[in-house]
Amino acid sequence: MPPLQKRKPGSPNDEDPSNDPPEHENTTSGQQVVTKSETKPQPTLALSPLPLLDTVNTFGAQTFTTDQGLKIIQWSSWAISYLTASSKHHKETLSPALRKLSGEVSFTRYVLRFYGFFQSLDGYRSGSWAGGSWDNPKIAKIAKYLMAGSMLFYYPLEHVAYAGWQLPTLSKFSRDNANKISALSCVFWSMYIIGDFWASCLKWNELKKKMNDLGRLLAMKKRDDDKAGMMEVEQEQHAIAKKIRLVKLQVIRCLLFILPSVNWSLPNWATNPLLGELPLNGLMLAEAYTSVYQTLVG
């Protein structure tokens, strides 16, 4: 699709322990060997926690959350550019500069998608995109075949379109052909969104049933004056309520995504788009902030 999309998380790289300093150093012949055990330990200063720094580091450690941060920059830059386009003071300076930045960040996000095919393949083989174990077997099948399966086609097509846009002299695709390849990739993205919405609704329904069952169980515990049992059930209710909140946010994201995905799936999306700039990019802006909020509350 044109420079946007949501992503699945990658895996952060572990630090290499081989970079640690050696245990001791030998001096020249005849001189004393000094080891760590013979040196006086230096007191360490306890650093106070910085929640904002921890949050930023968490976002930057994964491909998925890194992409979320870039989405905020991309669509916020566009929004400010759009709002300042008619300003006498900013229409020739700030507005075009931010619009250019939005485009550059958009293409930067394409680079992150190079990991997507392998993550999709892993999701297809392992079934991990179902997001845990569910009683309804349809959820696992949707996650495997409709969601992960569609992404196995989406990512390679995106890479071909990206090469056509960025390397026109090296690739055999003209910009028009690259646009058509991008439209085809968005057909598979739309399939993913439909599957995500379907699976999320099934999860929501299953979680509501579990919440109702816990409500009846809690009433029994209260009748028996089982305080320990009541506390355990209430903790389970809290966990289920959190899952329901996250699933609701996922449904909202799917609804925000579906019209843009259809727009970019059309062969003439670049010359005769279905949606205008404001509704199209406005939906993507809303999804970007909803996505980050979902990650933070999760």
Side-chain angles (χ1 to χ4, degrees):
M1 90 183 162
L4 4 104
Q5 233 294 72
K6 62 177 178 179
R7 292 291 152 266
K8 292 293 173 184
S11 300
N13 294 325
D14 296 331
E15 293 183 2
D16 186 1
S18 64
N19 293 330
D20 291 342
E23 286 295 313
H24 64 272
E25 273 184 21
N26 290 330
T27 59
T28 57
S29 178
Q31 292 181 321
Q32 183 182 6
V33 177
V34 180
T35 65
K36 279 189 175 180
S37 61
E38 297 173 335
T39 61
K40 185 177 180 180
Q42 298 295 323
T44 58
L45 297 176
L47 298 177
S48 58
L50 295 175
L52 177 60
L53 180 60
D54 292 341
T55 301
V56 172
N57 286 336
T58 299
F59 264 72
Q62 300 185 49
T63 303
F64 175 61
T65 48
T66 298
D67 184 70
Q68 286 183 323
L70 290 175
K71 279 199 297 185
I72 292 294
I73 297 174
Q74 175 188 348
W75 296 115
S76 296
S77 297
W78 165 82
I80 299 173
S81 172
Y82 185 87
L83 292 173
T84 57
S86 57
S87 170
K88 180 174 65 175
H89 301 289
H90 302 300
K91 65 179 180 180
E92 295 181 358
T93 53
L94 180 63
S95 180
L98 289 178
R99 186 171 291 268
K100 180 181 179 182
L101 174 63
S102 177
E104 293 294 332
V105 174
S106 174
F107 277 111
T108 299
R109 295 178 56 214
Y110 267 89
V111 179
L112 296 180
R113 294 175 199 167
F114 290 147
Y115 301 97
F117 175 82
F118 303 101
Q119 295 166 359
S120 303
L121 181 60
D122 179 71
Y124 183 85
R125 294 179 68 248
S126 66
S128 60
W129 282 17
S133 177
W134 301 91
D135 296 335
N136 191 335
K138 288 184 180 179
I139 295 175
K141 291 180 180 179
I142 293 170
K144 179 176 182 177
Y145 296 108
L146 193 54
M147 295 172 64
S150 63
M151 291 291 99
L152 290 174
F153 295 94
Y154 165 80
Y155 284 111
L157 291 170
E158 282 284 86
H159 303 334
V160 173
Y162 178 77
W165 288 325
Q166 298 294 88
L167 304 170
T169 58
L170 299 180
S171 67
K172 297 181 180 180
F173 290 91
S174 65
R175 188 170 186 85
D176 289 340
N177 288 332
N179 289 343
K180 292 178 181 178
I181 294 296
S182 176
L184 181 59
S185 76
C186 285
V187 172
F188 290 101
W189 180 40
S190 298
M191 293 172 58
Y192 171 90
I193 296 170
I194 293 171
D196 195 3
F197 179 80
W198 186 7
S200 296
C201 290
L202 293 176
K203 291 177 183 179
W204 190 352
N205 186 55
E206 185 172 318
L207 290 170
K208 285 194 300 182
K209 290 181 179 179
K210 289 183 178 181
M211 185 66 82
N212 291 335
D213 292 340
L214 288 173
R216 287 189 290 268
L217 180 58
L218 181 61
M220 293 174 58
K221 297 294 183 181
K222 288 181 178 180
R223 186 175 61 248
D224 298 337
D225 198 23
D226 184 357
K227 294 183 179 180
M230 290 167 54
M231 183 177 297
E232 183 178 348
V233 173
E234 288 173 350
Q235 290 176 349
E236 292 183 23
Q237 284 181 322
H238 179 75
I240 295 296
K242 181 177 181 180
K243 289 182 180 180
I244 291 176
R245 183 166 63 250
L246 294 176
V247 168
K248 287 180 179 179
L249 289 171
Q250 191 66 25
V251 169
I252 292 173
R253 291 181 61 202
C254 290
L255 294 175
L256 291 171
F257 263 140
I258 190 62
L259 283 179
S261 74
V262 171
N263 176 86
W264 285 312
S265 297
L266 301 177
N268 58 347
W269 65 266
T271 56
N272 187 24
L274 176 67
L275 300 176
E277 179 186 11
L278 181 59
L280 176 65
N281 293 353
L283 287 169
M284 296 305 297
L285 175 67
E287 190 284 327
Y289 278 92
T290 304
S291 175
V292 171
Y293 175 74
Q294 181 189 37
T295 298
L296 291 176
V297 300

